[in-house]
Amino acid sequence: GSVVNSNPLVITNKITTISIPVQKLWIDNQNALLTRPENIVVQLFQNDVYMTGKDLIITPDLQGLWNGTFTNLPRFDATGQLFEYTIKEVAVPNYKSEINGFEITNTLQMGALKITKRGLNNQLLSGAIFELRKLDGSVAKDIQGNNLTGTTVDGILHLHNIPLGTY
């Protein structure tokens, strides 16, 4: 008998576009100090090139979750190679951002303040009362919601867990 050559089997990948879900997490005591912005902006990069016009604006949903999805993205380039997608977040003031895959975690940055009170003779003074105030004149609060106030002991007062900002 004779052998009849057949055409090679061609399999076409029907999935030509993909979606990329993005999740945003916050480490800031459930926003106790109301430091979160109204939204965040996530930038998309395709093979390390910023994709102009593809920014994703994420706002919290009714449950307070911050999720969004990049949609209808090409999966392959013209030669059939998979695109590599990565993200960056536009900086959120007073937060440090860490990205793991397509999950962004923002941690509220904290500072501390050491106050030294001395008298006219340069002697350390105990009993001086201090309050750290915000620009609007109200007493500032630490990350746990406690007033940032205190009294010097041996001329020294330490305030901790102060959200970064202008006071």
Side-chain angles (χ1 to χ4, degrees):
S2 64
V3 175
V4 177
N5 289 330
S6 64
N7 290 333
L9 178 62
V10 176
I11 300 174
T12 304
N13 188 340
K14 300 279 188 204
I15 303 173
T16 57
T17 62
I18 60 169
S19 295
I20 298 174
V22 177
Q23 181 179 23
K24 173 70 169 188
L25 304 172
W26 299 92
I27 300 174
D28 61 1
N29 195 23
Q30 287 72 50
N31 199 29
L33 301 177
L34 304 177
T35 50
R36 293 180 191 171
E38 290 181 14
N39 61 58
I40 62 160
V41 178
V42 181
Q43 299 172 325
L44 185 65
F45 292 78
Q46 182 185 69
N47 294 344
D48 296 322
V49 177
Y50 172 63
M51 296 186 70
T52 305
K54 285 284 191 181
D55 289 357
L56 182 62
I57 298 172
I58 300 177
T59 57
D61 65 17
L62 295 175
Q63 289 78 39
L65 301 176
W66 294 64
N67 298 309
T69 303
F70 290 102
T71 59
N72 209 25
L73 300 172
R75 185 179 179 116
F76 302 101
D77 67 15
T79 66
Q81 296 296 308
L82 279 172
F83 280 121
E84 180 182 335
Y85 289 100
T86 54
I87 58 172
K88 290 184 183 174
E89 178 185 30
V90 173
V92 176
N94 302 325
Y95 283 86
K96 180 182 178 206
S97 179
E98 185 177 314
I99 297 175
N100 184 3
F102 298 102
E103 181 179 277
I104 305 167
T105 301
N106 276 15
T107 303
L108 185 61
Q109 297 297 280
M110 299 292 154
L113 180 64
K114 177 183 177 185
I115 300 170
T116 303
K117 177 66 175 173
R118 296 182 182 273
L120 292 176
N121 60 0
N122 209 27
Q123 181 180 356
L124 293 170
L125 296 178
S126 290
I129 299 170
F130 287 91
E131 296 178 331
L132 185 63
R133 293 191 174 267
K134 298 194 296 189
L135 294 179
D136 66 7
S138 63
V139 176
K141 296 184 182 304
D142 68 13
I143 188 63
Q144 285 86 26
N146 303 310
N147 286 342
L148 287 165
T149 60
T151 304
T152 57
V153 175
D154 296 327
I156 306 292
L157 171 63
H158 291 277
L159 299 175
H160 299 279
N161 296 317
I162 304 169
L164 294 185
T166 305
Y167 297 94

